[in-house]
Amino acid sequence: ALCGFEFKIQHVSGTTLHLKSEKNEIISPGQLKVIKEWGLPQKGSYDVKGNLYIHFEILFPVPGSITDKEAKSLEPVLGKLEYPEEEAQKITFGMGVRVKLVNLNNARFNGKSGRIIKEESHNGRWPVELDSGKRVAVPENCLAIVEPANDSKTSKSKMETEDEDFVETENVTMEAVEGEPKFTPSAAKGEGYDEDE
């Protein structure tokens, strides 16, 4: 992410795509890049191809893997770099978010804490499992967020490939994607043949 990258991916066509970062390029977690015209072919018009999008997930060193001496040697370098202004993240309601029940008419539940147990509310009420184990449905305006949900997604496995399995290698360039990706229609207009059965 900081020092550049170079890797190969096997395209569905059998061609090996060779990808390399630009000089002094820094990749951010979640960054999206595009390789134009290396997506799937359009049905009924095989000379029209979509784009191939690459979503970068950055793996950081495991806690405890950097010694104090190594950390001190990194500080002077990292301290000189320019950083974007930090944006405050808005925490929203959703599954796993820890909440406190407030402004309820029912004094029995007012002030109790728990976690939201579903991704979406139903008729403006969120299902909450209280610390006591009891489940209740609470209007959104009667919930105060205590802490966001823990992200417990497992890390993705690395795809291992060997150069001798690839038929052809192509050096390709990636461009940064601003906003949402643009999709190529899956079929050409006026396509005149029936679906395969």
Side-chain angles (χ1 to χ4, degrees), residues 33-160:
K33 296 198 87 141
V34 63
I35 304 171
K36 296 208 169 169
E37 297 183 3
W38 275 97
L40 295 174
Q42 190 180 57
K43 186 175 180 181
S45 178
Y46 291 101
D47 57 334
V48 177
K49 291 191 174 120
N51 297 324
L52 175 63
Y53 290 91
I54 297 178
H55 182 258
F56 286 87
E57 289 192 12
I58 309 301
L59 298 177
F60 290 94
V62 175
S65 65
I66 299 176
T67 65
D68 289 342
K69 185 178 177 184
E70 290 168 334
K72 283 190 190 320
S73 68
L74 287 172
E75 282 176 14
V77 176
L78 296 176
K80 292 178 189 173
L81 301 178
E82 287 184 40
Y83 295 91
E85 285 190 32
E86 193 172 341
E87 294 178 14
Q89 285 188 324
K90 185 180 177 190
I91 301 170
T92 57
F93 292 105
M95 189 161 73
V97 174
R98 187 154 178 74
V99 292
K100 184 175 183 180
L101 281 57
V102 294
N103 303 324
L104 289 171
N105 294 330
N106 187 335
R108 181 175 157 211
F109 294 116
N110 212 26
K112 301 283 184 191
S113 296
R115 287 201 184 276
I116 295 176
I117 55 174
K118 293 215 171 164
E119 285 293 339
E120 296 178 355
S121 64
H122 182 67
N123 294 329
R125 300 171 79 85
W126 287 93
V128 176
E129 184 173 316
L130 300 175
D131 293 339
S132 64
K134 183 164 184 66
R135 293 183 175 189
V136 292
V138 185
E140 189 170 307
N141 64 345
C142 294
L143 292 173
I145 294 175
V146 177
E147 66 182 50
N150 290 329
D151 189 4
S152 59
K153 292 178 183 173
T154 57
S155 61
K156 295 183 178 177
S157 62
K158 293 179 182 177
M159 185 178 83
E160 295 181 3

Side-chain angles (χ1 to χ4, degrees), residues 15-33:
T15 301
T16 301
L17 302 183
H18 181 230
L19 301 143
K20 189 175 180 180
S21 57
E22 299 290 326
K23 186 178 179 183
N24 298 327
E25 181 178 19
I26 294 176
I27 299 293
S28 302
Q31 187 169 342
L32 193 64
K33 296 198 87 141

